[in-house]
Amino acid sequence: MIYEVHVGLMGGFRGVAERLPELKNLGFTAIELMPIADFPGQRNWGYDGVLPFAPDTAYGAPEDLKSLIDQAHELGLMVFLDVVYNHFGPDGNYLPTYAPQFFRNDLKTPWGSAIDFRRPEVRRFFTENAIYWVTEYQFDGLRFDAVHAISERDWLEEVASAVRSAAGPKRRVHLILENDDNIAQLLDRPYNGQWNDDAHHVLHVLLTGEREGYYESYAENTAQGLARALCEGFVFQGESAAHTGEPRGTPSGHLPPTAFVNFLQNHDQIGNRALGERLIRLTDPARLRAATALVLLAPQVPLVFMGEETGSRSPFLYFTHHGPDLAEAVREGRRSEFASFAAFADPAARKRIPDPNAVETFEASRPEPGPDAEDWRELYADLLRLRARDIAPRLRGARCEYSETLGEEAVRASWKLGDGSRLTLALNLGDAPVELRNRPLRVPFAVIGHEDELEDELPAATLAAWLEPRR
């Protein structure tokens, strides 16, 4: 049960450490830090890092980071780190000047020339960096950012093997991918899991009705897509995506559900919006509560972004701290990025997009608790308690038995868990009840929504969960 945090917004390494007991009590088992490698200025998401071996001084000293991890381990919490090996930031990166061979002339990424992973020196540099975080700081896992921008896939297998070897047989290290290519083979081995953007996108479309940008690929047969994501992992397993017109993904139905990290929100899915709105501002709370229950109770690994558990209405915006020239380029680039969206087609409308370099943009992104914070905390605590007690101990060996649509905005999925018991989840994100055919005879062990009305129909904005013992 992963909780993703931006270290700077939480008060640095010491500030994160102060929050650990609270997060432990809520039921989280792992804290994931957004990238901490040294970046320019005092404010950054972390993906503009230029010194991969140096924890940024804006967050504290290396000893503070080690203390944070020690305190987490004392509480029984794991700590993961998001690492960026697909590009360097644009400010303070002098590698192209003194080692141009580090980059390729024939291959571009969204951030510039691709890093040349064909070279053994380059491969070793990043492999040693991954080992460094796991051995020197004792991180329990790494999340590899946007590996689809790394052309040499064999290095991904190489680095995973090297990290596990360096950690030794007694340590359990979790290695997680972000990979838009949806390559299931990497999850057979050597990686533990992947952020499942497909599952997020179908849930987002169902909750908000948004269909622009990459959501275009999930605008048709959305409930069917969610049913597939719950049972098989990827929605796209070789089919062409409408947004790009290109085939994407490989078959993933043979993988265990724990090979996928599911979420309603994360730094990308909030922060890459023009105005950084959280879901709580884009859909009604009842539907959001039901969808939250799906993510926290399904067998896939759940991830929560900081502030979700308190119903925060604060935006999470894109922020930087560059010098004047680069700050202006980033400001204009950020605004032009949304020109194809209807709400920002007018240049005057794009002026509403916050200036990434303004300190006010950073301060506005602090996740202040919402007016109903206690209700949300109680929901998260209850659901995570149920997951820890009734679901997590049975996940080893879990397999999906079936999934189906119950309507245009409703699905049901069932898994046979490792001990032979069966978990069934039914979710209705529509505005009207749907028929609940052949529902389990047992009383649901959890209902989020209209529990008093649950009989042969699943009410609107409701999640119902059944756990049937082994027969």
Side-chain angles (χ1 to χ4, degrees), residues 389-413:
R389 185 189 70 193
D390 297 324
I391 299 174
R394 298 178 165 99
L395 285 179
R396 185 180 296 275
R399 294 288 174 181
C400 183
E401 291 191 320
Y402 73 87
S403 64
E404 61 179 345
T405 60
L406 301 175
E408 292 185 0
E409 299 174 284
V411 301
R412 174 167 57 183

Side-chain angles (χ1 to χ4, degrees), residues 53 71 102-103 123 126 129 131 135 238 240 259-260 272 301 329 343 364-365 369 373 381 399 453 458 471:
F53 286 83
Q71 291 178 62
F102 212 89
F103 302 90
R123 297 165 79 104
F126 288 112
N129 183 257
I131 291 172
T135 57
S240 293
F260 302 94
N272 284 333
V301 177
S365 299
R399 294 288 174 181
E453 304 172 28
L458 184 65
R471 296 175 181 174

Side-chain angles (χ1 to χ4, degrees), residues 2 13 20 38 122 145 243 275 303 322 395:
I2 305 172
F13 299 132
L20 293 178
D38 194 56
V122 173
D145 177 68
H243 181 54
L275 303 179
L303 178 142
H322 296 305
L395 285 179

Side-chain angles (χ1 to χ4, degrees), residues 191-336:
Y191 288 85
N192 300 91
Q194 177 177 316
W195 279 25
N196 193 354
D197 282 343
D198 279 2
H200 167 271
H201 295 347
V202 287
L203 279 165
H204 187 92
V205 171
L206 287 170
L207 285 168
T208 68
E210 293 182 349
R211 296 177 172 220
E212 290 187 286
Y214 46 65
Y215 294 127
E216 176 189 3
S217 299
Y218 303 85
E220 303 296 330
N221 302 313
T222 310
Q224 184 177 339
L226 177 57
R228 190 180 204 191
L230 289 172
C231 201
E232 301 180 33
F234 299 141
V235 174
F236 286 93
Q237 300 181 29
E239 300 86 354
S240 293
H243 181 54
T244 63
E246 298 291 333
R248 174 170 170 260
T250 61
S252 57
H254 64 286
L255 295 169
T258 49
F260 302 94
V261 178
N262 283 358
F263 42 84
L264 288 176
Q265 302 178 85
N266 61 37
H267 72 272
D268 271 332
Q269 304 306 336
I270 308 173
N272 284 333
R273 299 179 62 84
L275 303 179
E277 309 101 321
R278 292 173 178 264
L279 270 175
I280 202 164
R281 292 193 178 275
L282 303 173
T283 190
D284 68 88
R287 298 168 78 205
L288 183 56
R289 287 170 65 89
T292 297
L294 175 77
V295 170
L296 296 187
L297 295 181
Q300 291 82 8
V301 177
L303 178 142
V304 172
F305 186 67
M306 60 187 299
E308 283 188 77
E309 80 289 358
T310 61
S312 178
R313 270 74 170 170
S314 305
F316 179 72
L317 300 163
Y318 179 65
F319 47 80
T320 57
H321 189 193
H322 296 305
D325 292 341
L326 185 54
E328 177 64 20
V330 169
R331 182 184 306 116
E332 292 308 312
R334 177 74 173 169
R335 289 171 176 169
S336 64

